[in-house]
């Protein structure tokens, strides 16, 4: 794949190989950045060339992990030149919530949505053609002002960068994943920060995830930290299981990340006549399920082929994709590409030259 240089300006060179796009970072042309003092107000910012940040060694984010992020996607609409972002208002709300949890000044929803639209607009040529992938957006809010003693930073940086990413399943053919239940380590505890995309939540899962991958699993399932009995979620995806026409997913008790894909799947499944229950889901119950799947912005929906508990592997649908996972994947990707009409307000159009 030809990795375009930063200097190419507005977009990739004409020979960019969209068919060989992967999931790694591809540097795009521009990023959005703005700053705010702890007692100040966020104002609409602007885009600048993509590049390094310069940070004070005593920046709060480096010393105390004062930072949160978001993950969202922009898509080209089938059969038109339009580019749309999936449910940015939802990410804006979660970002503001997370800022409060981490003692940072929340970015107002209008400033947040304006920022992601400017980032997409400036990098419009980097949005992959329909069916080849999407433009993954990464808003970040970090404490950049210097502080030595433990306390909130005196100033903050809000930035949005992006990278084109491939569709997780090329051609829509889903590949089920094999999961293992983690019984020693926990991702989050009651009263902690599990419901926030704070930067400190993610490095601790690597040890467990890497060990599971070494054993041939795709990822781990985390259990609740109190009883070690109920399913919470996978490292960066929410979990669902299906029995007949009933779909169950762990309820949001503060230790689970309130996924926007999760919320969307719940709405779509209910509209299709399924009963969806948000409640405690035990490992024992899951092993009796017809099928299981995970969901998140990156994967959209991914079927679970098997779950291993204490060395014992249980397969679902003989390790193949279950019908509900397929139905939810088709519906969501259909809505995102404009092929299927979704509920009102799920897609926000990015006007051309919005960033100028
Ligand atoms: C981001 C994330 C999810 C999925 O959330 P979406 O809004 O659907 O992308 C699930 N679990 C964790 C731990 C996450 O960080």
């Amino acid at each position: 794949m030809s990795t375009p240089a930063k200097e190419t300006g507005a977009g990739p060179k004409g020979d960019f190989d969209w068919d060989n796009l992967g999931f790694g970072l591809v540097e795009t042309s521009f990023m959005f950045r703005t700053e705010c003092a702890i007692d100040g107000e966020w104002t609409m910012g602007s885009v600048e060339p993509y590049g390094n940040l310069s940070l004070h060694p005593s920046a709060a984010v480096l010393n105390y992990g004062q930072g949160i992020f978001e993950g969202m996607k922009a898509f080209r609409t089938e059969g038109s030149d339009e580019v749309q972002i999936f449910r940015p208002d939802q990410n804006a709300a979660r970002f503001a919530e997370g800022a409060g949890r981490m003692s940072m000044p929340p970015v107002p929803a209008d400033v947040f949505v304006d920022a992601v639209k400017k980032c997409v607009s400036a990098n419009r040529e980097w949005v992959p053609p329909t069916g080849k992938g999407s433009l993954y957006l990464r808003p970040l809010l970090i404490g950049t002002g210097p502080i030595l003693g433990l306390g909130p930073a005196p100033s903050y940086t809000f930035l949005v960068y992006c990278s084109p990413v491939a569709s997780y399943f090329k051609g829509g053919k889903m590949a089920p994943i094999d999961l293992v239940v983690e019984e020693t380590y926990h991702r989050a505890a009651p009263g902690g920060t599990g419901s926030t995309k704070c930067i400190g939540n993610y490095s601790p899962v690597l040890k467990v995830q890497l060990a599971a991958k070494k054993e041939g699993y795709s990822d781990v399932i985390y259990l609740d930290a109190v009883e070690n009995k109920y399913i919470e979620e996978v490292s960066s995806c929410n979990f669902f299981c299906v029995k007949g026409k009933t779909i169950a997913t762990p309820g949001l008790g503060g230790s689970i990340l309130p996924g926007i894909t999760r919320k969307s799947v719940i709405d779509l499944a209910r509209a299709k006549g399924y009963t969806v229950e948000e409640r405690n889901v035990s490992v024992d119950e899951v092993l009796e399920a017809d099928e299981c799947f995970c969901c998140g912005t990156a994967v959209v929906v991914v079927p679970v082929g098997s779950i291993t508990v204490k060395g014992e592997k249980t397969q679902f649908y003989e390790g193949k994709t279950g019908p509900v996972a397929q139905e939810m994947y088709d519906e969501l990707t259909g809505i995102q590409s404009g092929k299927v009409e979704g509920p009102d307000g799920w897609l926000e159009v990015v006007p051309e030259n919005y960033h100028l």
Side-chain angles (χ1 to χ4, degrees), residues 25-324:
L25 179 74
V26 176
E27 286 188 17
T28 63
S29 313
F30 296 98
M31 63 186 191
F32 172 97
R33 181 159 70 132
T34 185
E35 285 167 16
C36 169
I38 189 163
D39 52 359
E41 267 184 34
W42 291 104
T43 49
M44 303 288 182
S46 56
V47 292
E48 57 188 70
Y50 183 94
N52 292 345
L53 302 177
S54 171
L55 287 185
H56 203 288
S58 69
V61 64
L62 297 179
N63 294 263
Y64 301 124
Q66 197 183 20
I68 55 170
F69 68 93
E70 270 301 327
M72 48 205 296
K73 283 177 172 173
F75 301 85
R76 275 192 200 279
T77 306
E78 178 105 336
S80 89
D81 283 338
E82 227 158 56
V83 171
Q84 309 196 78
I85 307 176
F86 187 69
R87 308 193 76 176
D89 56 317
Q90 297 291 318
N91 296 89
R94 188 168 68 189
F95 202 59
E97 188 85 9
R101 180 68 181 83
M102 304 298 282
S103 301
M104 301 192 282
V107 177
D110 59 335
V111 176
F112 179 91
V113 175
D114 176 73
V116 292
K117 281 164 85 171
K118 280 176 176 155
C119 182
V120 173
S121 169
N123 293 295
R124 195 179 179 92
E125 299 307 315
W126 287 103
V127 187
T130 318
K132 307 276 185 202
S134 56
L135 189 65
Y136 182 81
L137 307 169
R138 175 48 66 81
L140 267 179
L141 173 60
I142 51 179
T144 36
I147 185 136
L148 190 57
L150 179 59
S155 59
Y156 296 83
T157 299
F158 167 40
L159 57 101
V160 187
Y161 67 91
C162 61
S163 175
V165 292
S167 309
Y168 197 76
F169 301 112
K170 294 220 161 130
K173 187 155 174 22
M174 307 174 88
I177 55 171
D178 295 304
L179 299 176
V180 58
V181 171
E182 172 58 46
E183 297 192 87
T184 306
Y185 292 95
H186 293 282
R187 197 192 81 89
T193 54
S195 63
T196 305
K197 279 181 120 65
C198 65
I199 60 175
N201 280 353
Y202 296 86
S203 293
V205 307
L206 297 178
K207 182 187 171 83
V208 182
Q209 205 184 42
L210 291 174
K213 283 188 174 163
K214 227 172 150 181
E215 301 274 306
Y217 302 106
S218 317
D219 209 329
V220 305
I221 294 178
Y222 286 98
L223 299 181
D224 77 281
V226 178
E227 296 186 60
N228 221 28
K229 180 173 158 191
Y230 300 106
I231 287 186
E232 298 247 297
E233 58 180 316
V234 178
S235 305
S236 57
C237 291
N238 294 115
F239 185 90
F240 286 79
C241 67
V242 184
K243 187 87 181 170
K245 287 293 272 181
T246 300
I247 303 178
T249 189
L252 302 176
S255 55
I256 293 169
L257 199 287
I260 291 153
T261 320
R262 174 189 180 278
K263 185 173 180 175
S264 305
V265 164
I266 291 172
D267 288 351
L268 295 174
R270 285 191 177 138
K272 286 189 173 293
Y274 293 97
T275 301
V276 184
E277 298 173 352
E278 297 179 69
R279 55 167 171 80
N280 285 346
V281 177
S282 71
V283 174
D284 291 345
E285 172 183 354
V286 164
L287 297 182
E288 299 293 316
D290 297 339
E291 69 172 285
C292 301
F293 60 89
C294 301
C295 72
T297 295
V299 298
V300 188
V301 172
V302 58
V304 176
S306 75
I307 296 178
T308 300
V309 190
K310 298 190 202 302
E312 207 166 307
K313 182 171 174 175
T314 302
Q315 275 202 334
F316 301 92
Y317 264 91
E318 296 173 342
K320 299 193 190 78
T321 301
V324 180

